[in-house]
Amino acid sequence: MRNQGILKRIAGPVVTAVGMDAHMYDVVKVGKEELMGEVIKIQEDMTIIQVYEDTSGIRPGEPVVNTGLPLSVELGPGLLKSIYDGIQRPLAVLITKQGNFISRGVSAPGLDRTKKWEFKPVVKAGDRVGPGSILGEVQETNIVHRIMVPPKVKGSVVKSIKPGSFTVEEVVCVLEDGTQITMMQKWPVRVSRPVKEKLNPDIPLLTGQRILDGLFPIAKGGTAAIPGPFGSGKTVTQQQLAKWSDSEIVVYVGCGERGNEMTEVLTEFPKLVDPKSGKPLMERTVLIANTSNMPVAAREASVYTAITIAEYFRDMGYDVSLMADSTSRWAEAMREISSRLEEMPGEEGYPAYLAARLSEFYERAGRVLNLNGKNGSVSVIGAVSPPGGDFSEPVTQNTLRIVKVFWALDAKLSQRRHFPAINWLNSYSLYLDALQGWYDREVSPEWNKVRAWAMEILEKEAELQEIVQLVGSDALPEEQQITIEVARMVREIFLQQNAYDPVDTYCDMTKQFAMLTAIRKYSEYAYAAQAAGVLLPQIIAVKSKGELPQIKFIKDYKPALEKIMASMDAEFSAMRAG
Amino acid sequence: MKEYKTINQIAGPLVFVEKTEPVGYGELVNIILSDGSIKRGQVLDTSDELVVVQVFETTAGIGRDSGIRFTGETIKMPVGKGMLGRILSGGGKPIDGGPEIVPEKRLDITGAAINPYARHSPEEFIQTGISTIDGMNTLVRGQKLPIFSGAGLPHNDIALQIARQAKVLGSKEPFAVVFAAMGITKEEANHFMADFERTGALERAVVFLNLADDPAVERIITPRLALTTAEYLAFELSMHVLVILTDMTNYCEALRQIGAAREEVPGRRGYPGYMYTDLASIYERAGLIHGVKGSITQFPILTMPGDDITHPIPDLSGYITEGQLVISRELHRKGIYPPINVLPSLSRLMNLGIGAAHTREDHKKVSDQCYAAYAEGNDLRGLVAIVGKEALSERDRLFLEFADQFEDRFVRQGPNEDRSIVQTLDLSWELLSMLPVEQLVRIDRPLIEKYHPKFRGEKKGAPAQAAPQG
Ligand SMILES: Nc1ncnc2c1ncn2[C@@H]1O[C@H](COP(=O)(O)OP(=O)(O)OP(=O)(O)O)[C@@H](O)[C@H]1O
Ligand SMILES: [Mg+2]
């Protein structure tokens, strides 16, 4: 093996080396500064490399060294609360090494080598273990980090295992066959971690967002796409999910997006508490930030780094959700590298393998039975940023062919500050049927009916609006005017949810059900009153109805809601009487 | 330094040089013409056989007899305190007749990315005195907020009004303006310069001028020179810097021209596929850093070709910047200044800079309510055109009236009218009070009772104060 070559050509993030043996996706060190790169094409004696750092000043003739290893992440205690770049360099460490701006040629391991973690074995000498088996635990944050046998180690018997304080490189367990196990394992990012089998996704990933949980739910282990033009709410939705979804672990990757958005997460999350555990949200979060002005090749790698970390926590038996903002930037990074390789461009310049890469990525989601017998899940929520907001472009279209939930953001809604700006007519969830049983059991046997009623009202409204556009709303029969009014209530009270209001930002299923039921109750009263001959303006002007939106902002809403519903009952009785 | 005479091809802004010693990617190149004059360029592609150089000026006069010198370093900008008050060319050379800049440092113009972990979240409210911005699309220090405009619209006047009036309430920290013109006309440039001079802003400004008749490719480096200067002033001299970049559309055209010369596979509408990344390398150079005093707030201006917001230039910009102010031809035609259409406008950092700690507790919800009401009223205008006002319900008529009043009293203001945030918010309430209280579904009850003129009137027994009009 010739593991060293020399540079022949440098053109931006893609460089060519000659005189070196390499395999696809080997990690190489480029130039005198040893910039990190990855082999992406081999052609005769030429090795073509994408470089994860800026290549300015690098000259032909400089050395290239092949490490012979694929691009991998380090997995072990120390991942949680970290913020990494696209190739798992801890950004906090980079600041101490190179200051406030990211320069190049600095390597920093993903996991701290000096920090000691308290390891508690859960197996003992003589126990039989296999790939994925849990050997012990470390209290990493409020989350227990389970130390596992790496997936590629063969089954064997524990020879020795000891509790105590260890760094991630120290051996904590030795197997009979001589295998030494440390708390850190490495895994190549482009390969999915093995599982025993995939399970049906029949438990919802609850997000506290009414339009998502209520109308278009995603299952734990499911896949969802949020496409939308700029400023329509992709990032806010993903951040809401990162904050409030009932996952145990959140991996959030800012892929080619804004620096300040990562800062926002970093400042906000430590202050917010998980409604379930009562612990700061940061304790369950891993952040990957490869912002738009950081090198594109590392941007391409960032989503793989993220999903590998997500799979690792899934292997421990956790429900993990991965937010990828934005998969379009990832696709564009692919396109940019591909065009520098002078590959034959496919649709809109994207490489022909775009669809394959997208589906490989989303395929790594799922609710699974792990090698160790525990259940875990990775749910993947990907933002898509279509040029000009046009959903017919290749990234959106290819993504929609794969994912099961589509949350369509709509600029018309965001412009009028209807948030979340998710279009209720275009969006869908293919998990609805699978989740019905859960809602039935855990929320109310009435839930599925109320949901169907709400969707029907919204659809009817859309039809009626077409007529209104031609004749004005006063020309509609009174009954239909009530429908329009009720639909408005569903939109303004139920669907609209203010992410920035301390109470409204999160809404549990009980409250969602109560709100929707209250609106339905009004509609029943209204139709009945109309049928009984009460005048429409009176029905619409019911005072208690005007109080209903306030429920959103009240934390202890039950007494208030009861009061409103009681006065609504009284008002309608009075109307019928009078 | 060795001089090569091995140019084998010149195409557009690109020069191809053969048989060189190893040359570094991105290196600065000097091209020596037969008359002794020197042009500058940068290495775009380097191999042991061929080096591709992009020239930052016109290639007029360059021939196969021209000499090429590789400087061995990337492009650097000499920076120093003496830059304040100076006017430089788009390539960074003084053009005001003054002395050369005495450099205190020479900085790489590409600028490294701020480590996201080092960033400090912007949160200081900047009062611009313009209601549509302060009330509805609040600007904060360290934000990048572009103006999306169209040919012939008064974006320059708005930018100047912002530059004149912008202040962080209660702050007396040093500030500076960095102004970079790319391909604008002499007349437009004079308009800016005259205003800077009149208000004394020039003393605290650094001006880079690449005008319409200056070489287009130079525009590629102009914003980078400007931002390098801004970073020096902000992060080394602790100043709060406002950067105005105009017109980013001309910058993008130059980028397209280079892409075409390199025979790259073009992306959407002929612009390079990497334009998003390229623009990000400009726009992301804004913000605040932990433990560092200064800040960079960016105001890029761009004209949307054909007023089309889905055109790649505004589109990619909008995906990078932290919101946008959209100038409307329709409002301009109605004679409303500043014709900012709030509906497609957005400030993403607004929520960080408003509320009890910064402006007033009711700010967010009042603004949301105005948005919703104006959007609804605006939609109804379309309907009225078809069915007439008579077919509208009483509720609809009120919203329609709200939209008219909103444009006339809230959006419209004088070019020198500097409204305080309290005036702006009170004016919002006054307009909202046209609507029945139960229609204010975005605002919670306690706030309504505290700020709604009706309730205030009831409590104090006096009519609510009207905000002054301009
Ligand atoms: N659920 C919400 N509640 C309140 N405001 C919201 C909500 N969603 C979005 N917004 C508003 O919309 C703005 C833009 O949202 P966001 O940044 O998420 O857009 P985006 O789709 O990610 O855009 P881009 O593609 O440019 O990144 C936010 O700054 C916020 O003001
Ligand atoms: Mg976003």
Side-chain angles (χ1 to χ4, degrees):
Chain A
M1 279 287 278
R2 300 172 301 162
N3 69 352
Q4 182 158 351
I6 58 163
L7 279 175
K8 185 178 166 61
R9 179 180 175 195
I10 301 102
V14 173
V15 305
T16 307
V18 290
M20 179 175 84
D21 295 325
H23 295 105
M24 286 296 278
Y25 304 119
D26 280 352
V27 169
V28 294
K29 304 270 177 195
V30 175
K32 289 188 202 128
E33 289 182 67
E34 302 195 343
L35 307 183
M36 198 160 146
E38 188 183 16
V39 175
I40 51 170
K41 184 173 170 181
I42 298 168
Q43 193 175 351
E44 292 167 16
D45 193 37
M46 287 190 294
T47 305
I48 295 143
I49 297 158
Q50 63 173 349
V51 186
Y52 295 128
E53 298 177 80
D54 177 32
T55 54
S56 295
I58 308 295
R59 299 164 186 228
E62 289 190 38
V64 179
V65 179
N66 188 355
T67 65
L69 299 169
L71 181 66
S72 302
V73 282
E74 296 185 351
L75 302 166
L79 286 169
L80 295 171
K81 297 206 287 187
S82 291
I83 175 165
Y84 294 113
D85 74 356
I87 47 174
Q88 212 205 1
R89 292 186 303 181
L91 291 176
V93 176
L94 294 190
I95 292 182
T96 60
K97 287 198 169 186
Q98 49 180 206
N100 291 327
F101 292 85
I102 295 184
S103 50
R104 61 182 191 190
V106 179
S107 59
L111 296 181
D112 188 336
R113 294 292 190 272
T114 56
K115 184 161 174 143
K116 296 223 174 208
W117 300 93
E118 207 52 43
F119 174 74
K120 283 201 212 93
V122 296
V123 296
K124 51 186 186 318
D127 285 352
R128 189 149 190 101
V129 294
S133 295
I134 294 166
L135 298 174
E137 294 177 346
V138 167
Q139 190 74 43
E140 186 177 348
T141 57
N142 67 314
I143 302 282
V144 172
H145 192 117
R146 306 196 172 110
I147 307 299
M148 298 170 288
V149 177
K152 288 210 169 132
V153 170
K154 285 201 197 69
S156 180
V157 171
V158 177
K159 185 167 166 213
S160 68
I161 186 162
K162 47 190 175 177
S165 202
F166 300 102
T167 67
V168 291
E169 286 179 311
E170 284 170 323
V171 174
V172 294
C173 174
V174 181
L175 304 183
E176 289 279 324
D177 65 6
T179 310
Q180 301 197 323
I181 295 174
T182 60
M183 290 198 276
M184 172 172 73
Q185 41 176 290
K186 294 189 183 177
W187 189 263
V189 296
R190 295 184 194 278
V191 179
S192 60
R193 288 172 63 88
V195 298
K196 209 173 264 166
E197 63 180 277
K198 283 214 169 182
L199 304 174
N200 276 339
D202 54 8
I203 303 169
L205 177 72
L206 295 178
T207 65
Q209 310 304 302
R210 289 186 290 268
I211 186 163
L212 307 187
D213 298 346
L215 300 189
F216 310 111
I218 173 173
K220 291 207 167 91
T223 50
I226 323 178
F230 63 80
S232 57
K234 297 179 290 294
T235 304
V236 174
T237 308
Q238 295 227 356
Q239 290 186 354
Q240 285 296 90
L241 261 62
K243 286 176 195 167
W244 309 124
S245 69
D246 63 345
S247 306
E248 292 159 299
I249 304 286
V250 171
V251 182
Y252 189 108
V253 49
C255 170
E257 291 287 312
R258 304 173 184 83
N260 273 335
E261 291 175 345
M262 301 312 292
T263 311
E264 211 179 310
V265 174
L266 280 171
T267 5
E268 221 185 332
F269 276 36
K271 292 184 213 148
L272 295 169
V273 292
D274 178 356
K276 244 179 36 184
S277 71
K279 292 282 165 46
L281 285 173
M282 201 60 208
E283 305 224 325
R284 65 168 195 186
T285 310
V286 184
L287 296 174
I288 317 276
N290 214 92
T291 56
S292 54
N293 55 343
M294 285 158 76
V296 280
R299 187 195 300 172
E300 193 273 332
S302 65
V303 297
Y304 293 103
T305 299
I307 198 151
T308 309
I309 293 173
E311 286 175 337
Y312 172 68
F313 281 101
R314 170 207 66 195
D315 290 349
M316 294 178 207
Y318 288 121
D319 289 317
V320 186
S321 45
L322 171 73
M323 314 295 161
D325 188 9
S326 159
T327 59
S328 293
R329 307 301 166 220
W330 167 46
E332 284 164 12
M334 265 188 251
R335 175 171 71 184
E336 186 166 341
I337 302 291
S338 162
S339 88
R340 291 194 192 256
L341 292 180
E342 291 168 6
E343 290 173 339
M344 184 71 145
E347 217 182 333
E348 291 193 18
Y350 288 101
Y353 47 80
L354 171 71
R357 292 276 167 90
L358 283 169
S359 65
E360 275 161 27
F361 170 69
Y362 282 105
E363 198 47 40
R364 292 173 74 169
R367 202 164 85 81
V368 304
L369 178 64
N370 287 316
L371 298 181
N372 54 28
K374 279 188 180 288
N375 287 353
S377 66
V378 175
S379 314
V380 177
I381 293 115
V384 185
S385 318
D390 175 4
F391 289 178
S392 68
E393 58 89 39
V395 182
T396 314
Q397 283 306 313
N398 282 306
T399 304
L400 288 185
R401 275 199 276 280
I402 306 160
V403 300
K404 299 275 192 306
V405 179
F406 174 42
W407 295 321
L409 290 171
D410 188 333
K412 279 215 199 76
L413 294 174
S414 60
Q415 289 193 3
R416 64 193 48 212
R417 286 358 182 214
H418 171 113
F419 287 121
I422 296 173
N423 184 310
W424 50 91
L425 299 171
N426 299 347
S427 302
Y428 59 78
S429 162
L430 300 182
Y431 296 113
L432 270 182
D433 290 343
L435 297 177
Q436 263 194 9
W438 188 93
Y439 282 102
D440 205 41
R441 281 193 313 276
E442 306 288 329
V443 184
S444 156
E446 282 294 298
W447 169 260
N448 293 307
K449 274 177 233 154
V450 183
R451 178 196 178 275
W453 167 81
M455 278 311 290
E456 196 186 309
I457 284 280
L458 291 169
E459 274 155 28
K460 261 197 213 144
E461 184 203 27
E463 283 165 30
L464 293 176
Q465 282 299 351
E466 283 178 21
I467 305 172
V468 170
Q469 290 311 309
L470 298 174
V471 297
S473 54
D474 266 11
L476 290 182
E478 291 200 337
E479 206 189 317
Q480 296 186 346
Q481 291 191 42
I482 293 178
T483 306
I484 291 209
E485 187 63 22
V486 172
R488 191 206 321 281
M489 289 167 75
V490 174
R491 286 191 280 112
E492 290 183 351
I493 302 174
F494 187 78
L495 296 185
Q496 275 176 23
Q497 188 170 356
N498 187 345
Y500 300 99
D501 181 273
V503 177
D504 199 30
T505 186
Y506 172 80
C507 185
D508 64 28
M509 279 317 294
T510 318
K511 187 170 179 182
Q512 296 192 21
F513 180 60
M515 287 172 74
L516 216 44
T517 311
I519 301 170
R520 184 154 86 147
K521 192 79 198 157
Y522 168 81
S523 100
E524 282 164 9
Y525 282 132
Y527 289 122
Q530 188 262 333
V534 181
L535 292 177
L536 186 64
Q538 251 189 302
I539 297 177
I540 304 245
V542 167
K543 196 159 173 294
S544 49
K545 166 183 164 254
E547 309 274 321
L548 214 43
Q550 296 297 324
I551 291 301
K552 298 201 220 197
F553 309 119
I554 306 175
K555 194 165 172 62
D556 184 19
Y557 63 95
K558 281 179 188 153
L561 184 59
E562 270 164 33
K563 219 172 103 200
I564 293 172
M565 295 318 285
S567 37
M568 192 182 288
D569 190 62
E571 278 184 89
F572 275 102
S573 309
M575 264 186 246
R576 282 194 300 270
Chain B
M1 211 180 299
K2 191 163 171 192
E3 185 171 323
Y4 295 94
K5 292 262 186 183
T6 49
I7 295 181
N8 86 341
Q9 192 189 335
I10 303 162
L14 304 183
V15 171
F16 298 76
V17 191
E18 288 181 319
K19 296 192 262 310
T20 62
E21 311 267 284
V23 170
Y25 173 74
E27 235 175 61
L28 174 66
V29 182
N30 288 326
I31 302 155
I32 299 97
L33 272 54
S34 48
D35 64 358
S37 63
I38 295 180
K39 289 181 186 278
R40 292 184 305 167
Q42 184 180 15
V43 174
L44 279 189
D45 191 334
T46 173
S47 67
D48 41 15
E49 287 138 25
L50 191 70
V51 176
V52 184
V53 178
Q54 168 189 332
V55 186
F56 290 126
E57 297 158 60
T58 150
T59 42
I62 302 180
R64 294 191 59 190
D65 58 343
S66 303
I68 299 279
R69 277 191 205 146
F70 297 100
T71 62
E73 60 168 28
T74 49
I75 306 180
K76 301 258 181 353
M77 165 94 192
V79 290
K81 282 191 202 76
M83 296 177 83
L84 287 173
R86 299 297 304 272
I87 303 173
L88 312 173
S89 73
K93 298 263 176 303
I95 49 169
D96 53 3
E100 283 291 317
I101 307 284
V102 182
E104 275 147 57
K105 274 198 165 176
R106 295 174 72 250
L107 300 175
D108 202 317
I109 69 157
T110 350
I114 301 177
N115 183 323
Y117 193 73
R119 281 184 183 266
H120 182 78
S121 247
E123 58 188 12
E124 275 178 296
F125 164 61
I126 296 184
Q127 180 178 297
T128 66
I130 298 176
S131 290
T132 39
I133 301 176
D134 296 350
M136 314 279 284
N137 295 287
T138 319
L139 172 69
V140 295
R141 197 177 249 175
Q143 184 169 11
K144 38 188 182 288
L145 189 64
I147 299 178
F148 286 7
S149 188
L153 295 177
H155 42 265
N156 292 342
D157 293 315
I158 296 172
L160 281 168
Q161 188 173 2
I162 294 169
R164 274 197 311 271
Q165 297 182 172
K167 53 184 152 298
V168 168
L169 300 174
S171 151
K172 290 204 178 61
E173 291 160 294
F175 75 96
V177 174
V178 172
F179 178 78
M182 290 156 280
I184 64 172
T185 62
K186 183 90 187 135
E187 199 186 323
E188 279 177 290
N190 286 343
H191 186 59
F192 275 100
M193 301 308 297
D195 202 84
F196 287 159
E197 252 162 66
R198 181 171 66 80
T199 58
L202 193 55
E203 283 168 43
R204 312 230 31 101
V206 187
V207 176
F208 292 84
L209 291 181
N210 166 289
L211 299 182
D213 53 359
D214 288 329
V217 271
E218 186 182 82
R219 283 165 209 160
I220 299 293
I221 56 171
T222 308
R224 298 190 160 84
L225 298 174
L227 286 161
T228 305
T229 307
E231 280 166 358
Y232 173 74
L233 297 174
F235 302 135
E236 302 204 22
L237 302 185
S238 302
M239 292 183 186
H240 293 290
V241 186
L242 185 68
V243 180
I244 301 173
L245 305 170
T246 181
D247 177 332
M248 287 304 290
T249 300
N250 296 330
Y251 170 84
C252 294
E253 295 305 340
L255 206 60
R256 174 159 76 167
Q257 201 182 322
I258 290 164
R262 293 184 68 187
E263 298 179 359
E264 292 165 346
V265 183
R268 241 172 109 235
R269 301 208 205 169
Y271 294 90
Y274 49 81
M275 192 155 89
Y276 174 83
T277 303
D278 188 279
L279 284 172
S281 74
I282 293 174
Y283 296 141
E284 273 290 315
R285 292 173 81 174
L288 308 172
I289 295 177
H290 277 301
V292 178
K293 274 226 181 76
S295 65
I296 298 180
T297 308
Q298 255 193 49
F299 262 111
I301 299 174
L302 58 87
T303 44
M304 302 182 276
D307 290 351
D308 176 8
I309 200 168
T310 68
H311 183 281
I313 297 172
D315 190 52
L316 295 178
S317 298
Y319 271 123
I320 303 164
T321 55
E322 287 148 345
Q324 66 278 340
L325 298 171
V326 181
I327 314 286
S328 146
R329 199 168 294 279
E330 196 189 322
L331 287 175
H332 182 61
R333 277 203 201 105
K334 284 187 190 167
I336 293 174
Y337 174 89
I340 296 175
N341 182 358
V342 296
L343 296 178
S345 299
L346 170 71
S347 163
R348 294 163 196 260
L349 303 187
M350 174 166 178
N351 296 304
L352 301 173
I354 63 172
H358 307 278
T359 56
R360 215 167 72 180
E361 56 179 338
D362 55 330
H363 194 154
K364 167 77 181 150
K365 285 176 177 164
V366 170
S367 144
D368 280 353
Q369 189 66 63
C370 283
Y371 262 109
Y374 177 58
E376 185 154 359
N378 193 44
D379 280 354
L380 287 164
R381 287 176 174 159
L383 183 58
V384 169
I386 304 169
V387 299
K389 251 191 190 157
E390 305 69 39
L392 294 189
S393 64
E394 179 56 28
R395 177 184 185 280
D396 288 354
R397 263 193 290 268
L398 287 173
F399 277 87
L400 191 66
E401 179 61 21
F402 176 87
D404 291 343
Q405 291 285 325
F406 180 82
E407 286 175 5
D408 201 46
R409 299 178 53 199
F410 189 87
V411 180
R412 187 198 297 280
Q413 67 184 87
N416 288 309
E417 186 187 349
D418 191 356
R419 290 184 192 153
S420 75
I421 182 64
V422 173
Q423 287 173 327
T424 292
L425 292 174
D426 286 349
L427 178 55
S428 314
W429 277 107
E430 199 190 318
L431 291 166
L432 286 174
S433 69
M434 293 168 54
L435 304 171
V437 176
E438 68 275 6
Q439 293 295 344
L440 308 182
V441 296
R442 306 294 186 103
I443 312 177
D444 51 87
R445 204 70 203 189
L447 288 180
I448 293 181
E449 281 167 13
K450 190 161 169 192
Y451 293 102
H452 194 289
K454 188 177 129 195
F455 292 88
R456 281 203 291 188
E458 271 170 19
K459 256 184 230 147
K460 294 179 199 148
Q465 281 248 302
Q469 288 297 297

